Amino acid sequence: MQTGNRFEVKGEMPDRRQLSRLAYAGKLLPPTQRSLFLDGSWAFATRSIARGSRVRALPASDRELRDVAIQSRGVEFDLADYISRNRVAGLLIAHRGSVALEHYDLGLDADARWISMSCAKSVSTTLVGAAIQDGLIGGVEEPLTDYLPQLRGSSYDGVSVRQLLQMTSGVKWDDTHTDPGSERSHMLELQIAQRSGAILDFVASLPRVAPAGSVWNYSTAETHVVGALVQATTGRWLSDYLSEKIWVPFGMQSEATWWLESPEGLEVAGSGIHATLRDYARFGLFLMNDGLIEGKRVLPEGWVAQASASLAIHGKRVDYGYMWWPVPDAEGSFADGAFGARGIFGQFIYVNPRAEVVIAVCSSRSKPKFAEAIVDNDFFNGVVAALR
């Protein structure tokens, strides 16, 4: 039985560590999963991302979006299909800075926070851009070990900041959440153990399987190193630096939280930000504004385009940037410059600069990946077509 934010199985409170394992394995039934996604802590300590006194308005658009035609996998769907079949808890569509559609379900409301999972990766790399703008990191071609000397002699020796941001370090990693033998599952156990420095020590022990820059491999380990890079260069916890550079000056409405590797330890930079749907949308608007706040540049000029562009490896395109995913239109073109942050179980921040569209999605899908009935990129393209 489940009541409020308490999780009970046959009248007993399950161990929250086991609950976290079951969540990542995609083994929770919908009511328990929904309550967990609304819960900021899981088995992990958290740190607050402070908001300021001013809240950026999200006015209602004069052009309300009532439905969307979605072509996906050879079938036409509509808005009701996307929300119900993809188990969407929150959906906000902003057009030209105004809200064209806002919907809540599954226990989420405008004041509640929801887990963003790997959307945190895109937030973390954005903080690298802020540190470069602040002159604390020399640039993306700098050797990583110039800033993290503790990684000298590890497989990250010789890896540049750019290669870290692009997940092309060549260091071994399997990010399969549902495989108990994967490195990602081992990292989860280290998160649950809550020992300071244990994750970075584990990452530093991994072997190299390819020359740096020669292969792309999705790796949550890379983002944890990004977090260590931000903390080392700014002297600030990621939560505090995010608050200082973006959360307060851009006018987020609510305090958010971020998972930690241990009490008073480093943020788990690859996941674990809990924020409101509206603040996820505001983060997308910040990116669509090219990292400017009230005319002040927070990110280097051109950073957003660089961070969201596909990369080329051995002449082949990889649709990944600095932990942002370029999103093609329905014809496969990238002319709009659209991109997005993605998190398992259906969390998204989609940004289309040319169409001036931002979409924030919070979901509660049954499995970490491939549980969607309708391809999310198809939905995003349907929205853009409806607003043009």
Side-chain angles (χ1 to χ4, degrees), residues 312-358:
I313 299 178
H314 302 308
K316 295 183 178 180
R317 190 185 76 204
V318 178
D319 291 333
Y320 201 64
Y322 295 166
M323 303 189 195
W324 288 94
W325 299 84
V327 179
D329 65 19
E331 283 71 48
S333 169
F334 291 88
D336 281 357
F339 60 95
R342 300 181 188 175
I344 55 173
F345 299 102
Q347 326 313 323
F348 296 91
I349 303 171
Y350 168 86
V351 181
N352 188 315
R354 178 174 289 186
E356 297 181 86
V357 171
V358 168

Side-chain angles (χ1 to χ4, degrees), residues 3 67 82 92 103 123 154 169 182 199 215 221 283 302-303 306 336 346 376:
T3 58
D67 206 352
Y82 180 72
L92 192 151
H103 174 81
V123 176
S154 76
S169 69
S182 72
I199 297 175
V215 296
F283 192 83
W303 176 268
Q306 185 182 97
D336 281 357
D376 296 279

Side-chain angles (χ1 to χ4, degrees), residues 17-330:
R17 296 170 296 178
Q18 183 61 12
L19 197 65
S20 299
R21 295 183 186 103
L22 291 171
Y24 270 97
K27 298 295 185 182
L28 294 179
L29 293 177
T32 302
Q33 186 191 61
R34 289 195 301 266
S35 289
L36 191 65
F37 285 8
L38 285 162
D39 186 312
S41 59
W42 295 34
F44 318 122
T46 63
R47 183 172 289 121
S48 295
I49 303 165
R51 52 154 288 186
S53 58
R54 182 184 66 87
V55 176
R56 180 176 295 266
L58 287 178
S61 174
D62 293 335
R63 186 178 178 186
E64 184 181 357
L65 188 63
R66 296 182 181 274
D67 206 352
V68 180
I70 311 157
Q71 299 293 332
S72 187
R73 297 169 174 160
V75 179
E76 181 168 318
F77 298 96
D78 61 17
L79 180 63
D81 292 325
Y82 180 72
I83 290 172
S84 60
R85 297 191 188 197
N86 277 21
R87 285 170 54 169
V88 172
L91 171 63
L92 192 151
I93 299 171
H95 183 222
R96 297 175 180 169
S98 299
V99 178
L101 186 148
E102 187 171 7
H103 174 81
Y104 296 96
D105 214 329
L106 307 181
L108 184 64
D109 59 38
D111 296 319
R113 295 188 288 251
W114 193 266
I115 185 66
S116 63
M117 293 299 188
S118 286
C119 290
K121 292 179 169 67
S122 306
V123 176
S124 296
T125 59
T126 300
L127 295 180
V128 174
I132 291 173
Q133 179 65 21
D134 284 348
L136 302 173
I137 298 174
V140 295
E141 305 305 337
E142 297 287 298
L144 178 62
T145 51
D146 282 4
Y147 302 101
L148 292 172
Q150 64 268 44
L151 293 181
R152 289 174 185 159
S154 76
S155 294
Y156 282 92
D157 224 339
V159 173
S160 69
V161 172
R162 183 192 299 276
Q163 289 162 343
L164 177 71
L165 297 177
Q166 293 176 333
M167 295 189 180
T168 60
S169 69
V171 176
K172 183 180 184 295
W173 188 265
D174 179 355
D175 214 76
T176 306
H177 305 84
T178 53
D179 179 359
S182 72
E183 283 84 9
R184 182 62 186 94
S185 292
H186 184 71
M187 179 178 171
L188 175 60
E189 291 303 315
L190 294 176
Q191 288 177 233
I192 291 171
Q194 292 281 283
R195 294 194 300 270
S196 182
I199 297 175
L200 193 62
D201 288 345
F202 170 58
V203 171
S205 74
L206 296 170
R208 175 178 296 283
V209 294
S214 67
V215 296
W216 176 77
N217 180 44
Y218 189 87
S219 170
T220 299
E222 309 285 64
T223 323
H224 198 77
V225 179
V226 166
L229 172 66
V230 171
Q231 197 279 329
T233 54
T234 67
R236 309 290 303 281
W237 297 120
L238 275 71
S239 301
D240 296 337
Y241 195 55
L242 174 59
S243 174
E244 173 192 329
K245 303 304 295 185
I246 301 171
W247 221 254
V248 170
F250 200 75
M252 303 305 188
Q253 76 177 49
S254 299
E255 178 184 275
T257 61
W258 203 331
W259 287 343
L260 305 180
E261 65 174 0
S262 65
E264 303 305 318
L266 186 66
E267 285 81 357
V268 179
S271 61
I273 293 176
H274 278 73
T276 65
L277 180 69
R278 284 189 152 222
D279 284 343
Y280 289 133
R282 287 184 178 93
F283 192 83
L285 290 169
F286 165 73
L287 271 293
M288 193 169 72
N289 200 39
D290 197 39
L292 285 165
I293 302 178
E294 308 299 336
K296 180 180 178 181
R297 185 155 288 287
V298 177
L299 302 176
E301 186 174 0
W303 176 268
V304 174
Q306 185 182 97
S308 60
S310 301
L311 60 96
I313 299 178
H314 302 308
K316 295 183 178 180
R317 190 185 76 204
V318 178
D319 291 333
Y320 201 64
Y322 295 166
M323 303 189 195
W324 288 94
W325 299 84
V327 179
D329 65 19

